[in-house]
Amino acid sequence: MKVAVVGAGAMGCRFGAALGESGRDVTLVDPWLAHVQVMQRQGGLLVDDEQGTRLVKLKATTPEASTEQPDLIIVFGKAMQTERLITAVAHLIGPSTVVLTLQNGLGNVETISTVVPRERIVAGVTTIGTELLGPGHVRSLGDGNTQVMQVDGASGASSTTVLDAFAGSAIAVTESSDVATTIWQKVAFNAVLNTLCTLASVPVSALRSYPEFPNLADAIIEEIVQVGAAEGVVVDKAAVWATIVKATDPTMSGHHLPSMLQDLLSQRATEIDYLNGAVVRRGARHDIPTPVNTVIAHLVRLAEATRSER
Ligand code: NAD
C-alpha cells in the first residue's frame, strides 16, 4: 500500500516511520524544505526511542514535487496548515484515495471535505506523543491509543483502508463508534491543558499545584459541553476529566510540555483558533455565551502577540 504523510512534522514522521517499518511504501511530504532535504540526504528519518537511535528508510518530498498517487494520505500538519496542505496535494488525490486526519482541533474534516468526498475521509484522535528534534530527526514520547472512524458514519471501505494500513505496525489503531464525540472530547482536553500550561509556562503535572485547577477546568469544559450539544455532539465531562487526571499524573506523562507551549516558546503559531477559539466561534453561531473560553483564547493570543518582547 502507498501512503503519503502530508505535513510530516513530529507526528507525521512518527506515523510515517511506523508504517514504513511495517512494509508500507511511505513518502513524507512537507513544505519545510530544510527538513525534506535532510531526509533526502540521509535516506530517511532518524528516530529516537527507548531502543536508541535508528535510521528509518523513507522517501521525502515537498508538496509541489510530489507525483505518486497514494492509496492513503495522512494529513498531519497543524490545524492552521490543513487548507494549504490539502490544496497543495490535490493533484495526488485519485478516485479511490482515502484521506485520514488525526490532527487536533475543530474544522479539519470540514476543510478536507472541500477537496475530498466525505465517504473517503477518515478522522480520529491519537494520544501518542512525539517531538521533532530538528530536521529529519524525531523522538517518540511513549505510546498511546489511536481511534478512527469514516466521517460519513459508515464502517466502509475507507475505514478498512486505514485499519489495513496500520495492521501489523507499531501503532495500534481501533475503530471508534462516535468520532465526533472523540474529537470534541480531545478538543476539551487540549482546551484545558494546552492553554493553561501555555499561560502559566509549566508542564502538565504542575497544574495540580493550583487548588482551583478543577474549577477552572470545569468552567472551560462546561462551555464546550454546551456548544457541542448545540452542534449535535455529546461531550462527556466525566470522560474528559478522567483523561485530564491521567495526563497530569507526574508518574505518567506529567512532565511533558504541551505542544502549544512548545510552539509559543519556539516563536511558532499555536492552534488556539482551532481549540478554544473555534468553540467561541461556534458558540456565537448558536447564541451560546462562552466567556471563559473567550478570555482564555484572548490570553493565548496576547502571549503569542507579545512573546518577542519577553
Ligand atoms: P509539528 O509542529 O511537529 O509539525 C507541523 C508542521 O510544522 C510540519 O509541516 C513541520 O514540518 C513544520 N515544522 C516543525 N518545526 C518546524 C521548524 N522549526 N521550521 C519550519 N517548519 C517546522 O506538528 P505535530 O506536533 O506533529 O502536530 C501535528 C498535529 O498533531 C497537530 O494537530 C497536533 O495538535 C496533533 N498532535 C500532536 C501531538 C504531539 O505529541 N506532537 C500529539 C497528538 C496530536
Side-chain angles (χ1 to χ4, degrees):
M1 182 187 291
K2 278 194 176 149
V3 181
V5 180
V6 177
M11 294 295 278
C13 282
R14 175 144 184 211
F15 275 65
L19 290 173
E21 287 188 313
S22 67
R24 311 293 178 253
D25 178 356
V26 177
T27 306
L28 301 179
V29 183
D30 199 83
W32 183 16
L33 189 59
H35 179 44
V36 168
Q37 286 174 335
V38 166
M39 291 191 283
Q40 288 173 338
R41 229 176 11 249
Q42 65 194 15
L45 178 72
L46 284 177
V47 178
D48 281 19
D49 59 20
E50 59 286 347
Q51 284 146 35
T53 304
R54 63 186 182 283
L55 178 73
V56 178
K57 288 186 184 165
L58 294 169
K59 291 174 277 184
T61 182
T62 58
E64 302 71 34
S66 57
T67 50
E68 284 186 67
Q69 217 167 68
D71 304 294
L72 174 64
I73 289 178
I74 306 178
V75 179
F76 234 149
K78 288 274 167 59
M80 52 279 193
Q81 291 179 286
T82 305
E83 185 176 2
R84 196 157 41 92
L85 288 173
I86 197 71
T87 309
V89 297
H91 61 286
L92 301 183
I93 302 169
S96 59
T97 309
V98 172
V99 177
L100 168 66
T101 166
L102 295 168
Q103 301 157 279
N104 283 332
L106 297 175
N108 294 304
V109 170
E110 286 88 337
T111 302
I112 293 169
S113 67
T114 61
V115 180
V116 187
R118 285 178 73 82
E119 65 270 18
R120 285 198 275 124
I121 303 175
V122 177
V125 299
T126 181
T127 59
I128 286 176
T130 310
E131 192 182 357
L132 202 56
L133 298 176
H137 194 175
V138 74
R139 174 160 62 201
S140 302
L141 301 171
D143 280 328
N145 57 66
T146 302
Q147 296 178 54
V148 301
M149 189 180 128
Q150 203 168 299
V151 300
D152 65 358
S155 185
S158 300
S159 47
T160 304
T161 299
V162 171
L163 295 172
D164 285 353
F166 286 95
S169 78
I171 293 177
V173 176
T174 54
E175 204 162 3
S176 161
S177 55
D178 185 352
V179 79
T181 287
T182 314
I183 289 173
W184 275 72
Q185 288 184 177
K186 182 88 187 289
V187 166
F189 171 92
N190 286 318
V192 171
L193 288 195
N194 274 21
T195 56
L196 299 185
C197 289
T198 299
L199 294 172
S201 209
V202 291
V204 286
S205 56
L207 295 175
R208 288 189 176 203
S209 311
Y210 179 48
E212 288 294 318
F213 169 59
N215 291 333
L216 180 53
D218 186 76
I220 296 170
I221 301 166
E222 178 55 33
E223 289 180 1
I224 298 174
V225 170
Q226 289 178 25
V227 176
E231 301 237 325
V233 181
V234 176
V235 177
D236 178 352
K237 209 193 250 190
V240 176
W241 182 244
T243 57
I244 290 174
V245 169
K246 195 170 162 199
T248 53
D249 181 347
T251 64
M252 303 289 285
S253 62
H255 299 300
H256 163 71
L257 289 186
S259 58
M260 183 177 280
L261 176 54
Q262 291 180 32
D263 287 338
L264 188 78
L265 295 173
S266 56
Q267 311 285 323
R268 300 179 59 219
T270 74
E271 290 183 306
I272 189 66
D273 287 336
Y274 301 85
L275 297 168
N276 312 63
V279 171
V280 171
R281 285 195 306 279
R282 286 166 193 243
R285 271 188 231 152
H286 300 286
D287 285 330
I288 296 174
T290 52
V292 181
N293 281 280
T294 299
V295 171
I296 297 280
H298 270 305
L299 291 176
V300 173
R301 290 191 201 107
L302 176 69
E304 273 188 276
T306 57
R307 62 188 155 190
S308 62
E309 296 176 40
R310 280 177 177 218

